[in-house]
């Protein structure tokens, strides 16, 4: 037993070291900077600054856009994942190509390509113009940011949904039909609740990066629309106020922790 | 004769070019306990799924109570299934599982409550209302699956190897419970198993299948005592199955020796199969029987001795309460009534041949 624990400690030490250096220490530094001022004295001011109108506005907009893109991702991904999982035609090959392939491309490039598509004189509007259809002026609006978030994070919704849906035994679905349920009733009473773990992890995996992103909002929003991620980024890279940036990061962390706790609780409630 | 409830007419089904059922015809009578019996992969589940509506036959019709239901969706059929793997809803407790079908049909909640109580009593699971399926043993899950099906008062209950995962004791208990349920509820049972003993114990009517063909159907006694071909004889219990030649009516040549039998109508000098049950062979002193042999092996089995007898170049299996020591030189004797003469089994090749002949 003792030797076992010793070997397992030795075996895991590289990972523990990795976790210490790249996870624990940075988080500790964020806490340190977030809770001190430039003189190193303890303060809550950095955190309290979330109450400033421009900060709270950026936070609420970020939450709003993250919720909208999570919802859109879910509505797009669920039917697709359901079809892929239930028809079994998706040898994993097709699924990989469909979902993983876009992820091979750097996500900044992918986002940038949407900028080119959606620009006022971009590809989309040239096509619409050629077809004598009304132009779509969407770039540099919150809607464009949502488009970017949905496109970039959709795979993170599809994969967990697919995994949990594929795990549902055909016999269980047959049993629901056998007991008189039509397709919609089967979906609502059986498939949806059984795929809840996948829904929760998909929601978490889309909501958190959407909430914290600054790259997508910078590119699709043309630097005019500030999300909380942009505010934090600017504190670090423009005004060099690491204390304020860290303080706001801590506020954001609270929202992430809330999201994770909620999804963990509802997951446990299921079993 | 009871009323005909379900008819399968000329059902064919293939998966990816593999013929699983070939021109299958089957009639199921009301209030009967019908068992589909056959080796793994012979098409039992597929037949059941076609009756349940989960599989559409390539050809043929399913008639239920006089109506063609071949393309009716499963949720519209008046029957319920107990699936091979139980298929309970793991996100619902026992009571919710049982209530599922009734809730879908918008039954009043008082009615549902009564039904849950009644069904749990029927399957001896009182007090299990709020247990989750994962926390139940295989036998208990099984009984929940049965309760979930019967509360809907189906005309027909389809059961796909429902006792497959249980140990012997629980299996026997459940066999009695199922028979009791059938008698109490008066519904028609279509039961699938590959266990011949289970089939003989429980059924009114047995359908023996192999490779998508019905080999024989009849009462348990008929299937056991008068197998129509070597496949059925072999599948239903230990047997001596021998190639033989029908010399003429009531005389069959087995291993070069003529035996008197009671079968007629197999022609003259035609190849046939003969089945003789091990308990139907008598070992008599040398000179008093039909075929001389030597006992080569003896095992004590409790109720009887199981002996191997070398005779005429064939190793005979003999069950007897009288012991003959290894090395005993004896004769084999068989009552003419206990020699079962059968046509050679129907096979793909033969089918093909008879088509060419026609
Ligand atoms: N959905 C399917 N797709 C392809 N082949 C199938 C499918 N369902 C059944 N088969 C094939 O059809 C044949 C009969 O299957 P079936 O499940 O009816 O057998 P069974 O008699 O129930 O066997 P077991 O006793 O093992 O349950 C098998 O060879 C099986 O591989
Ligand atoms: Mg089967």
């Amino acid at each position: 037993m003792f030797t076992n624990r010793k070997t397992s400690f030795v075996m895991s030490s590289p990972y523990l070291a990795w976790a210490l250096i790249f996870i624990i220490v940075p988080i500790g530094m964020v806490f340190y900077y977030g809770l001190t001022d430039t003189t190193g004295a303890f303060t809550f001011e950095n955190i309290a600054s979330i109450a400033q109108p421009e900060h709270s506005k950026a936070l609420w907009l970020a939450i709003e856009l993250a919720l909208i893109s999570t919802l859109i991702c879910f509505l797009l991904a669920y039917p697709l994942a359901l079809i892929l999982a239930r028809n079994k035609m998706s040898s994993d090959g097709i699924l990989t190509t469909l979902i993983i392939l876009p992820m091979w491309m750097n996500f900044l490039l992918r986002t940038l390509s949407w900028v080119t598509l959606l620009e006022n004189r971009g590809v989309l509007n040239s096509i619409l113009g050629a077809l004598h259809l009304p132009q779509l002026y969407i770039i540099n609006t919150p809607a464009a940011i949502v488009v970017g978030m949905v496109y970039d994070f959709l795979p993170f919704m599809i994969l967990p949904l697919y995994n949990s849906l594929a795990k549902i035994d055909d016999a269980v679905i047959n049993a629901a039909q056998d007991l008189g349920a039509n397709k919609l009733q089967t979906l609502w009473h059986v498939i949806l609740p059984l795929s809840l773990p996948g829904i929760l992890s998909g929601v978490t995996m889309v909501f958190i990066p959407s909430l914290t992103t600054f790259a997508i909002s910078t590119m699709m929003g043309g630097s005019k629309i500030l999300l909380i991620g942009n505010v934090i980024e600017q504190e670090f890279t423009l005004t060099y106020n690491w204390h304020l940036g860290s303080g706001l990061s801590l506020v954001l962390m609270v929202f992430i922790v809330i999201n994770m706790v909620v999804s963990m609780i509802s997951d446990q409630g299921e079993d | 004769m009871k009323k005909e409830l379900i008819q399968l007419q000329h059902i064919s089904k293939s998966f990816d070019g593999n013929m699983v059922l070939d021109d299958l015809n089957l009639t199921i009578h009301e209030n009967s306990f019908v068992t589909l019996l056959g080796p793994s992969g012979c098409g039992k589940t597929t037949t059941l799924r076609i009756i349940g509506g989960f599989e559409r036959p390539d050809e043929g019709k399913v008639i239920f109570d006089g109506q063609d239901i071949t393309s009716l969706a499963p949720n519209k059929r008046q029957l319920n299934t107990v699936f091979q793997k139980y298929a309970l809803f793991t996100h619902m407790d026992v009571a919710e599982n049982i209530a599922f079908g009734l809730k879908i049909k918008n039954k009043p909640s008082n009615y549902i409550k009564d039904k849950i109580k009644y069904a749990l009593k029927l399957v001896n699971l009182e007090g299990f209302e709020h247990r989750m399926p994962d926390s139940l043993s295989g036998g208990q899950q099984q009984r929940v699956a049965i309760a979930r099906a019967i509360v809907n008062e189906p005309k027909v209950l389809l059961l796909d190897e429902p006792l497959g995962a249980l140990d012997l004791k629980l299996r026997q208990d459940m066999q009695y419970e199922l028979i009791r349920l059938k008698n109490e509820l008066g519904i028609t049972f279509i039961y699938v198993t590959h266990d011949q003993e289970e089939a003989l114990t429980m059924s009114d009517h047995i359908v023996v299948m192999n490779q998508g063909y019905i080999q024989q159907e009849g009462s348990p006694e008929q299937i056991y005592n008068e197998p129509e071909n070597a496949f059925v004889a072999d599948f239903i219990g230990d047997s001596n199955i021998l190639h033989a030649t029908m010399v003429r009516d009531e005389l069959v040549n087995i291993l070069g020796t003529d035996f008197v039998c009671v079968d007629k109508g197999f022609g003259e000098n035609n190849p046939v199969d003969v089945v003789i049950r091990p308990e139907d062979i008598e070992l008599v002193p040398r000179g008093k029987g039909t075929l001389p042999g030597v006992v080569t092996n003896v095992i004590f089995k409790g109720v009887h001795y199981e002996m191997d007898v070398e005779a005429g170049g064939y190793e005979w299996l003999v069950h007897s309460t009288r012991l003959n020591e290894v090395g005993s030189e004896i004769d084999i004797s068989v009552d003419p009534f206990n020699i079962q003469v059968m046509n050679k089994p129907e096979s793909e090749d033969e089918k093909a041949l008879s088509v060419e002949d026609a």
Side-chain angles (χ1 to χ4, degrees):
Chain A
M1 193 62 203
F2 181 66
T3 44
N4 244 345
R5 209 181 292 172
K6 207 167 166 184
T7 15
S8 74
F9 179 77
V10 173
M11 297 290 284
S12 59
S13 58
Y15 306 101
L16 292 177
W18 186 87
L20 189 70
I21 296 169
F22 293 105
I23 300 176
I24 310 287
V25 170
I27 288 183
M29 285 169 71
V30 170
F31 270 94
Y32 170 74
Y33 278 105
L35 293 171
T36 55
D37 62 18
T38 36
T39 65
F42 178 82
T43 174
F44 269 125
E45 222 142 85
N46 301 317
I47 292 174
S49 78
I50 191 65
Q52 290 170 23
E54 68 267 33
H55 290 171
S56 56
K57 200 179 135 220
L59 178 63
W60 291 126
L61 184 62
I63 291 175
E64 191 185 323
L65 296 190
L67 283 175
I68 293 172
S69 27
T70 307
L71 183 68
I72 294 175
C73 278
F74 175 76
L75 293 177
L76 289 177
Y78 204 87
L80 176 64
L82 193 60
I83 292 166
L84 288 173
R86 297 264 53 97
N87 289 353
K88 308 278 183 234
M89 55 154 201
S90 55
S91 57
D92 289 317
I94 299 175
L95 185 74
T96 324
T97 339
L98 257 171
I99 292 159
I100 309 290
L101 203 63
M103 293 169 80
W104 285 2
M105 215 172 27
N106 179 293
F107 102 97
L108 291 174
L109 274 179
R110 273 185 286 150
T111 314
L112 214 52
S113 62
W114 272 101
V115 177
T116 347
L117 281 176
L118 294 184
E119 266 169 348
N120 289 345
R121 271 170 245 251
V123 179
L124 184 65
N125 276 338
S126 338
I127 295 171
L128 288 176
L131 296 172
H132 301 289
L133 289 169
Q135 298 283 291
L136 201 62
Y137 300 111
I138 181 182
I139 197 76
N140 300 344
T141 66
I145 298 178
V146 170
V147 168
M149 287 175 175
V150 168
Y151 183 72
D152 281 336
F153 303 134
L154 188 60
F156 298 115
M157 184 67 88
I158 296 175
L159 286 174
L161 285 180
Y162 173 80
N163 281 335
S164 69
L165 286 169
K167 261 193 239 144
I168 301 176
D169 195 338
D170 276 338
V172 174
I173 291 167
N174 284 343
Q177 293 175 294
D178 184 76
L179 294 165
N182 61 29
K183 292 225 158 76
L184 204 64
Q185 288 167 321
T186 307
L187 179 68
W188 183 252
H189 294 295
V190 176
I191 300 178
L192 215 53
L194 284 176
S195 62
L196 193 66
I199 297 175
L200 293 174
S201 69
V203 164
T204 307
M205 283 167 72
V206 172
F207 182 75
I208 290 177
S210 301
L211 182 66
T212 53
T213 186
F214 56 86
I216 295 175
S217 44
T218 305
M219 285 188 272
M220 305 296 287
S223 311
K224 283 191 205 82
I225 301 168
L226 291 187
L227 300 185
I228 190 70
N230 300 88
V231 174
I232 295 170
E233 185 221 358
Q234 286 176 4
E235 294 303 336
F236 279 96
T237 58
L238 284 179
T239 49
Y240 293 105
N241 190 344
W242 286 27
H243 298 276
L244 187 56
S246 299
L248 294 175
S249 298
L250 288 177
V251 175
L252 204 50
M253 263 187 230
V254 171
F255 280 89
I256 293 169
V257 169
I258 289 173
N259 173 294
M260 284 167 54
V261 168
V262 166
S263 85
M264 259 152 64
I265 288 171
S266 20
D267 197 17
Q268 271 162 9
E270 259 311 288
D271 317 318
Chain B
M1 198 78 221
K2 286 178 192 163
K3 191 178 134 202
E4 293 182 354
L5 189 58
I6 297 177
Q7 284 162 289
L8 300 182
Q9 300 179 342
H10 305 290
I11 298 282
S12 294
K13 176 78 191 173
S14 46
F15 291 108
D16 319 315
N18 267 335
M19 198 64 128
V20 174
L21 297 177
D22 192 359
D23 195 25
L24 184 109
N25 291 286
L26 182 62
T27 300
I28 287 157
H29 293 92
E30 198 162 33
N31 285 338
S32 53
F33 193 124
V34 178
T35 297
L36 306 182
L37 175 67
S40 188
C42 72
K44 305 182 295 290
T45 297
T46 306
T47 309
L48 217 57
R49 288 175 62 82
I50 285 173
I51 299 173
F54 304 110
E55 217 76 71
R56 189 81 60 90
D58 301 337
E59 275 167 59
K61 278 189 200 166
V62 183
I63 310 290
F64 186 95
D65 220 356
Q67 305 212 319
D68 185 346
I69 59 160
T70 316
S71 48
L72 194 68
N75 53 322
K76 305 242 165 66
R77 299 190 180 199
Q78 291 182 329
L79 38 80
N80 286 110
T81 310
V82 177
F83 291 87
Q84 199 161 359
K85 290 180 286 175
Y86 318 153
L88 296 180
F89 305 124
T90 50
H91 60 294
M92 300 178 188
D93 66 20
V94 168
E96 289 170 319
N97 264 281
I98 295 173
F100 188 88
L102 300 173
K103 280 191 185 150
I104 292 288
K105 289 178 201 97
N106 286 320
K107 299 281 185 194
S109 64
N110 273 343
Y111 175 85
I112 296 180
K113 243 177 158 172
D114 290 347
K115 274 284 178 187
I116 293 173
K117 253 186 113 173
Y118 160 78
L120 284 175
K121 193 164 176 204
L122 213 55
V123 296
N124 279 330
L125 282 180
E126 285 138 308
F128 279 69
E129 283 86 349
H130 300 298
R131 293 276 294 272
M132 296 307 282
D134 290 346
S135 75
L136 301 178
S137 74
Q140 292 165 339
Q141 291 189 34
Q142 181 54 59
R143 284 181 277 167
V144 175
I146 292 169
R148 183 179 68 173
I150 58 177
V151 289
N152 301 288
E153 298 175 357
K155 282 196 172 170
V156 179
L157 193 59
L158 310 177
L159 302 108
D160 195 352
E161 302 200 27
L163 311 183
L166 310 185
D167 64 49
L168 188 66
K169 177 80 180 68
L170 198 52
R171 230 180 139 88
Q172 286 169 345
D173 289 350
M174 283 300 296
Q175 288 178 1
Y176 287 114
E177 272 184 65
L178 284 176
I179 295 170
R180 179 174 61 84
L181 277 180
K182 197 234 144 199
N183 293 335
E184 270 177 39
L185 302 172
I187 43 185
T188 308
F189 274 42
I190 306 179
Y191 192 93
V192 162
T193 183
H194 56 235
D195 179 338
Q196 44 100 7
E197 242 180 78
E198 196 168 286
L200 292 171
T201 317
M202 303 179 78
S203 330
D204 307 326
H205 190 83
I206 297 179
V207 179
V208 184
M209 295 177 65
N210 190 33
Q211 296 177 1
Y213 293 99
I214 293 178
Q215 300 288 338
Q216 185 178 355
E217 47 176 315
S219 69
E221 290 84 359
Q222 281 171 337
I223 299 282
Y224 188 82
N225 292 329
E226 299 149 37
E228 278 171 15
N229 62 43
F231 174 81
V232 177
D234 189 31
F235 198 74
I236 308 285
D238 294 329
S239 264
N240 297 288
I241 299 165
L242 303 112
H243 298 292
T245 310
M246 201 68 190
V247 180
R248 54 168 195 269
D249 281 357
E250 301 185 8
L251 192 67
V252 61
N253 185 294
I254 305 171
L255 305 168
T257 306
D258 284 346
F259 281 77
V260 179
C261 63
V262 295
D263 296 276
K264 300 178 202 172
F266 289 87
E268 289 192 4
N269 294 319
N270 267 342
V272 290
D273 281 324
V274 161
V275 61
I276 304 172
R277 295 284 174 198
E279 63 271 22
D280 291 337
I281 296 174
E282 273 182 274
L283 300 184
V284 295
R286 180 59 54 87
K288 303 220 165 161
T290 324
L291 186 65
V294 178
V295 178
T296 57
N297 194 23
V298 178
I299 303 169
F300 179 58
K301 286 276 188 175
V303 231
H304 61 253
Y305 294 95
E306 182 179 298
M307 289 169 278
D308 293 336
V309 175
E310 169 76 42
Y314 177 83
E315 182 132 305
W316 299 70
L317 186 68
V318 180
H319 291 173
S320 170
T321 48
R322 274 218 332 268
L323 173 66
N324 286 280
E325 301 283 356
V326 174
S328 307
E329 300 194 343
I330 38 74
D331 275 2
I332 278 178
S333 165
V334 189
D335 186 314
F337 195 75
N338 287 329
I339 297 177
Q340 176 70 23
V341 179
M342 310 170 299
N343 283 313
K344 293 270 178 191
E346 193 173 348
S347 69
E348 291 289 350
D349 294 351
E350 268 189 15
K351 267 223 148 183
L353 274 178
S354 58
V355 168
E356 268 167 39
D357 287 349

